Amino acid sequence: GQPFFDHHFGTILTRATHSLNQRHEYSRFDPFNADQSLIILHEFFAGNFNVYRTDSFPYDTSANRVTSLFPLDEPRWDPTDPNTVWGLEGFRILKMNVQNGLISTVKDFAADPILGPIISDPHLGLYRITTKNEGESSADKRYWALGLQGSADDYRLQYLFCWDRLLDRVAGVMPLSKDEAALIDWVGMSPLGNWVLIGGGAGSGRTAGLTMVDRELTAFHQLAAATAHSDIGLDSQGREVVVMQNTATDYIDLIP
């Protein structure tokens, strides 16, 4: 809770947690809610996600604890409601009110007319929807890019799809070959929902490198030959951009 000067980077740091096994899950996601009164911390030894108040340091005390987010996986705060968290569980997108613990189902893809028959195929062994833990929906939660993961072929992704929450419509579905799936590190939407983004490794094919795809998953454009440490957002003029380490130069690039 005491600010200190980091001589290496020349910045002021403040340790916010006390426990050795509670941390912010990943730097691409904002751990704070809309009014910064709450924070999600990842209890990474057990795999749990917990919500704490930010009233006092350290955040992760019993007095600050609000709730566990179980059974939500890949939790993300609502952009405007400070008490709502979105997350995934099985084939469902869920919303939780962290003050009363009430959970509602936004979408169950097992009952979707397009994805339901794919999910029920026993040969694929599908068991969840996922971004591979690093992706996000569009900022307004309308568009979602997700993978269908199964137990076959060493638990690889079997399909990618894009869903429009407002119209409750699967805009595109893309089966993945074993080689295509092996390249994918994460999948998600651009902030305004204009593009599906695939964070892929170096190689060849549709999923190689950092790639933008239309919501129908038919038109592919590679932005970079490989995907390194990166984040997506809006520039000062409101344009969608990726900020990423360039693996060829080690510079930090801004990619429109």
Side-chain angles (χ1 to χ4, degrees), residues 98-193:
V98 299
Q99 298 300 338
N100 58 27
L102 292 179
I103 297 175
S104 58
T105 298
V106 177
K107 175 68 175 181
D108 183 357
F109 291 103
D112 185 82
I114 293 177
L115 295 181
I118 297 174
I119 290 171
S120 62
D121 184 346
H123 298 97
L124 299 176
L126 299 176
Y127 63 93
R128 70 164 182 166
I129 55 174
T130 180
T131 70
K132 296 293 292 289
N133 301 313
E134 292 189 29
E136 296 184 83
S137 68
S138 60
D140 61 3
K141 302 295 181 188
R142 174 173 178 175
Y143 295 105
W144 297 71
L146 296 161
L148 285 170
Q149 188 171 12
S151 57
D153 297 332
D154 197 25
Y155 293 89
R156 72 173 178 88
L157 295 182
Q158 299 284 344
Y159 285 84
L160 296 182
F161 69 91
C162 180
W163 178 63
D164 181 341
R165 180 177 61 88
L166 191 62
L167 300 180
D168 189 13
R169 182 178 72 91
V170 175
V173 181
M174 171 183 164
L176 295 168
S177 70
K178 188 175 181 179
D179 290 340
E180 288 173 332
L183 291 171
I184 297 176
D185 187 48
W186 55 268
V187 61
M189 293 300 303
S190 63
L192 300 180

